[in-house]
Amino acid sequence: LRGSKSFTAALPGEAERNGHGLSYKSVSVGHLEAPPLSPSRLSLGRASSIATSTAAPEQGRPRDYLVLAIFSCFCPVWPINVVALVFSILSRNSGQQGDLDGARRLGRMARLLSIVSIVLGTIIIVLYISLSVR
């Protein structure tokens, strides 16, 4: 005995009506209608190279900037670069758990803190060298 793979679903605008004023249409599982594409997904022409190059990194695994955060730990701004390292590790963990939006957000924060740490560290080193030479 084999079960049927069809079902009845309420669809607006159909001619058949049951006694309650709801329309129904019987469809099989293999013939389900796909939802319409959103306007942002519709395209009448070729996509520009700018659009394809910016969309490609977002489809893959987000960057965690771990190497940049480790490099920033050599700068003498330890509270900032340690926090950048923590954000980078949190970004990596979020990406491995499947939270891609959280991983992107934490990765951007790790990148920002790492850059701030490198810039401030460079300024401190330059000031220290210039003041010790005099």
Side-chain angles (χ1 to χ4, degrees):
L1 201 57
R2 198 169 176 203
S4 173
K5 289 188 176 182
S6 65
F7 60 93
T8 303
L11 296 174
E14 291 294 323
E16 294 181 43
R17 299 244 177 220
N18 65 4
H20 304 288
L22 295 175
S23 59
Y24 288 95
K25 179 179 179 183
S26 179
V27 289
S28 62
V29 174
H31 294 87
L32 290 176
E33 296 178 16
L37 296 174
S38 67
S40 63
R41 303 280 294 181
L42 294 176
S43 176
L44 297 176
R46 290 183 57 186
S48 69
S49 60
I50 295 172
T52 56
S53 66
T54 58
E58 291 184 5
Q59 291 175 356
R61 198 170 130 219
R63 296 193 54 183
D64 56 10
Y65 300 99
L66 184 62
V67 174
L68 184 64
I70 291 173
F71 178 73
S72 72
C73 287
F74 292 104
C75 295
V77 190
W78 288 297
I80 295 173
N81 51 23
V82 170
V83 173
L85 183 63
V86 169
F87 273 108
S88 176
I89 292 169
L90 289 173
S91 172
R92 176 169 284 202
N93 289 341
S94 293
Q96 289 173 349
Q97 292 176 358
D99 182 16
L100 299 181
D101 292 328
R104 272 189 209 97
R105 182 179 47 84
L106 291 167
R108 283 191 302 253
M109 184 59 74
R111 180 185 63 192
L112 174 72
L113 290 173
S114 296
I115 291 171
V116 166
S117 175
I118 291 170
V119 168
L120 287 177
T122 304
I123 290 172
I124 289 172
I125 291 170
V126 167
L127 285 175
Y128 180 77
I129 291 173
S130 66
L131 292 175
S132 66
V133 171
R134 293 182 183 183

